[in-house]
Amino acid sequence: MKFVRNIAIALTAAAGLASASFAAGAAKHPMQMEWSFDGPFGQFDQQSAQRGWQVYKQVCSACHSLKYFHFRNLADLGYEEDMIKAWAAEYTVVDGVDDAGDPNERSGLPQDKFPNPFPNEVAAAASNGGAVPPDLSLITKARHDGPNYVYSLLTGYEDAPADHEMPAGKSYNPYFKGGAISMAPPLAEGIVDYEDGTAATPEQMAKDVVMFLTYVGEPKLVDRHHMGLKVLIFLGILTIILYLSMKKIWKPIKSGRNVYEDKK
């Protein structure tokens, strides 16, 4: 009985510590979703990634940059060169400085990286309640359980608990550490008009933009999976060849040993 009582006390203490940790700012564990790119044979859903590009372009790009991603990389999602040129031309990029030291500005080209929506971090913070919006190029790799975290964050906004004091201008999101996030809920029903006719629910848009951002963070993921499969096939064939070679090499020795043992 004493042993059982000690176990009960330990479990109660653990639960208390977990509650205290959450109250102190620990983030809620992300929802676990199924993604086509998961697993050794995973691949990107191209249609979903294209819809995710729409979501990024029309919603996320107002605050978040993609500083490691070039316009030309959109070709891997199935877009034609003329479309990519037209999209790039919608942006203004800085290309060096003139003789007076002022920045040279021009229309974007396919070889350009996505420009930052703000000229500097001070301007970014001033426009976002003091918080600098993170670059999204590697967001699904930089966060633990990245794809699930981003999906949960985008769809997880809710009313703050009665005992949770919220700073002015913040929104409550249990998946964000501390619960108080500067970014207002970015997705709303029908905010994007999908070109393929898919219903643009917040959950669908979150799923699609995660697909796009995962591609942005690891564009060679499918090639890596294919290479891994080829390596496994090669190693399997090599193992068989080595095994058969070993059998052939040792066969005369084994036969001679058997003859010697029979003579004895």
Side-chain angles (χ1 to χ4, degrees), residues 9 11 44 81 103 127 129 136 147 162 166-167 173 175 236-237 240 255:
I9 292 172
L11 291 175
F44 292 113
E81 185 178 359
S127 299
L136 299 182
M166 289 294 294
N173 193 314
Y175 297 100
I237 295 174
I240 294 173
S255 298

Side-chain angles (χ1 to χ4, degrees), residues 3-19:
F3 175 76
V4 174
R5 186 170 64 253
N6 290 338
I7 292 294
I9 292 172
L11 291 175
T12 302
L17 287 173
S19 299

Side-chain angles (χ1 to χ4, degrees), residues 53 57 70-75 78-93 106-112 114-115:
W53 154 242
K57 184 174 183 293
H70 297 77
F71 288 102
R72 65 188 176 209
N73 296 130
L74 290 169
Y79 290 113
E80 297 180 357
E81 185 178 359
D82 291 342
M83 298 177 68
I84 296 173
K85 287 182 177 179
W87 282 327
E90 294 177 8
Y91 293 81
T92 299
V93 300
R106 59 170 174 78
S107 297
L109 298 170
Q111 62 266 30
D112 291 323
F114 281 85

Side-chain angles (χ1 to χ4, degrees), residues 97-174:
V97 296
D98 59 21
D99 295 337
D102 296 321
N104 277 325
E105 295 185 344
R106 59 170 174 78
S107 297
L109 298 170
Q111 62 266 30
D112 291 323
K113 296 177 181 178
F114 281 85
N116 196 308
F118 301 103
N120 51 62
E121 290 191 353
V122 176
S127 299
N128 292 275
V132 178
D135 179 80
L136 299 182
S137 302
L138 302 173
I139 193 68
T140 59
K141 295 178 69 64
R143 299 294 188 271
H144 174 67
D145 199 13
N148 289 320
Y149 168 77
V150 175
Y151 177 87
S152 299
L153 188 73
L154 291 174
T155 60
Y157 287 85
E158 58 186 50
D159 294 333
D163 60 347
H164 190 95
E165 186 176 348
M166 289 294 294
K170 304 289 185 179
S171 298
Y172 180 72
N173 193 314

Side-chain angles (χ1 to χ4, degrees), residues 191-212:
I191 194 173
V192 173
D193 186 15
Y194 278 143
E195 295 174 358
D196 63 1
T198 300
T201 63
E203 293 77 15
Q204 184 65 55
M205 288 185 285
K207 183 177 180 180
D208 292 335
V209 79
V210 167
M211 185 69 65
F212 172 69

